[in-house]
Amino acid sequence: READSGRPYVFSEHSRDATLQGTECMTMIRDGRWKLVHFVDSEEGQLFDLESDPWEERNLWSDPETAPVRRRLTDEMTRWLIRSHVRAGEWAAPWR
Protein backbone atom coordinates (compact mmCIF):
# COMPACT_ATOMS: atom_id res chain seq x y z
CA ARG A 1 0.00 0.00 0.00
CA GLU A 2 1.28 3.45 -0.88
CA ALA A 3 1.84 5.98 1.87
CA ASP A 4 -0.99 8.43 2.39
CA SER A 5 -0.24 11.73 0.72
CA GLY A 6 -2.74 13.70 2.78
CA ARG A 7 -2.26 17.04 4.44
CA PRO A 8 1.21 17.80 5.78
CA TYR A 9 -0.25 19.25 9.02
CA VAL A 10 -3.30 18.83 11.23
CA PHE A 11 -4.46 21.74 13.39
CA SER A 12 -6.89 22.12 16.26
CA GLU A 13 -8.02 24.76 18.71
CA HIS A 14 -9.60 24.42 22.11
CA SER A 15 -11.06 27.51 23.69
CA ARG A 16 -12.87 28.44 26.88
CA ASP A 17 -15.11 25.64 28.02
CA ALA A 18 -15.74 23.56 31.12
CA THR A 19 -12.95 21.07 30.40
CA LEU A 20 -10.18 23.53 29.46
CA GLN A 21 -8.83 25.02 32.66
CA GLY A 22 -5.80 27.24 33.23
CA THR A 23 -5.64 28.79 29.77
CA GLU A 24 -7.98 30.82 27.60
CA CYS A 25 -7.10 29.03 24.37
CA MET A 26 -4.72 26.38 23.13
CA THR A 27 -3.78 25.58 19.56
CA MET A 28 -2.18 22.36 18.33
CA ILE A 29 -0.27 21.50 15.17
CA ARG A 30 0.86 18.03 14.24
CA ASP A 31 2.83 16.60 11.35
CA GLY A 32 3.83 12.99 10.76
CA ARG A 33 6.35 13.02 13.60
CA TRP A 34 5.89 16.07 15.82
CA LYS A 35 3.08 17.56 17.92
CA LEU A 36 3.22 21.11 19.27
CA VAL A 37 0.69 22.70 21.63
CA HIS A 38 0.71 26.46 22.16
CA PHE A 39 -1.10 28.13 25.08
CA VAL A 40 -2.13 31.68 24.17
CA ASP A 41 -1.47 33.10 27.64
CA SER A 42 1.81 31.37 28.46
CA GLU A 43 5.42 31.33 27.32
CA GLU A 44 5.44 27.58 27.95
CA GLY A 45 4.02 24.96 25.63
CA GLN A 46 4.35 21.32 24.69
CA LEU A 47 6.42 19.64 21.99
CA PHE A 48 6.48 15.88 21.55
CA ASP A 49 8.40 13.61 19.20
CA LEU A 50 5.68 11.07 18.49
CA GLU A 51 8.09 8.59 16.88
CA SER A 52 10.23 8.17 19.99
CA ASP A 53 7.57 9.16 22.54
CA PRO A 54 4.09 8.09 21.32
CA TRP A 55 2.61 8.44 24.82
CA GLU A 56 3.72 12.10 25.05
CA GLU A 57 5.67 11.65 28.27
CA ARG A 58 8.71 13.85 27.43
CA ASN A 59 7.93 17.50 26.74
CA LEU A 60 10.73 18.84 24.49
CA TRP A 61 9.47 22.45 24.40
CA SER A 62 12.56 23.87 26.17
CA ASP A 63 15.11 21.46 24.67
CA PRO A 64 17.66 23.48 22.64
CA GLU A 65 18.10 20.57 20.21
CA THR A 66 14.45 20.74 19.16
CA ALA A 67 14.30 24.56 18.88
CA PRO A 68 14.33 24.43 15.04
CA VAL A 69 11.33 22.04 15.06
CA ARG A 70 9.51 24.27 17.53
CA ARG A 71 10.14 27.33 15.34
CA ARG A 72 9.03 25.54 12.15
CA LEU A 73 5.79 24.32 13.68
CA THR A 74 5.07 27.67 15.34
CA ASP A 75 5.60 29.43 12.00
CA GLU A 76 3.27 26.97 10.24
CA MET A 77 0.65 27.47 12.94
CA THR A 78 0.87 31.25 12.55
CA ARG A 79 0.42 30.98 8.79
CA TRP A 80 -2.58 28.70 9.27
CA LEU A 81 -4.23 31.06 11.75
CA ILE A 82 -3.75 34.03 9.45
CA ARG A 83 -4.99 32.19 6.37
CA SER A 84 -7.95 30.45 7.93
CA HIS A 85 -9.32 33.36 9.95
CA VAL A 86 -10.52 30.83 12.46
CA ARG A 87 -11.87 32.64 15.47
CA ALA A 88 -13.02 29.99 17.94
CA GLY A 89 -13.51 32.69 20.59
CA GLU A 90 -16.40 34.20 18.62
CA TRP A 91 -18.64 31.21 19.27
CA ALA A 92 -17.10 29.78 22.44
CA ALA A 93 -18.81 29.94 25.80
CA PRO A 94 -17.96 32.96 27.97
CA TRP A 95 -14.73 32.68 29.96
CA ARG A 96 -15.37 32.18 33.66
Side-chain angles (χ1 to χ4, degrees):
R1 178 172 171 233
E2 289 185 36
D4 184 9
S5 61
R7 297 180 283 174
Y9 301 102
V10 174
F11 302 90
S12 73
E13 291 182 318
H14 192 156
S15 179
R16 297 184 289 198
D17 68 9
T19 60
L20 183 63
Q21 303 294 317
T23 187
E24 186 175 351
C25 180
M26 65 184 217
T27 307
M28 184 275 301
I29 179 172
R30 179 183 168 168
D31 66 12
R33 177 176 178 179
W34 298 94
K35 176 180 174 182
L36 179 138
V37 179
H38 178 268
F39 302 98
V40 70
D41 44 15
S42 175
E43 295 297 317
E44 295 297 315
Q46 298 174 342
L47 177 65
F48 300 103
D49 179 347
L50 300 173
E51 280 184 9
S52 66
D53 181 22
W55 297 103
E56 301 177 15
E57 296 175 321
R58 258 187 16 254
N59 184 359
L60 302 172
W61 181 267
S62 298
D63 186 332
E65 290 186 26
T66 60
V69 173
R70 187 173 122 192
R71 169 51 62 207
R72 175 178 61 83
L73 293 175
T74 301
D75 288 349
E76 287 295 334
M77 183 185 300
T78 300
R79 281 190 281 280
W80 171 72
L81 288 168
I82 291 168
R83 286 181 179 137
S84 67
H85 300 283
V86 172
R87 302 285 187 263
E90 293 176 5
W91 53 264
W95 180 249
R96 298 173 211 225

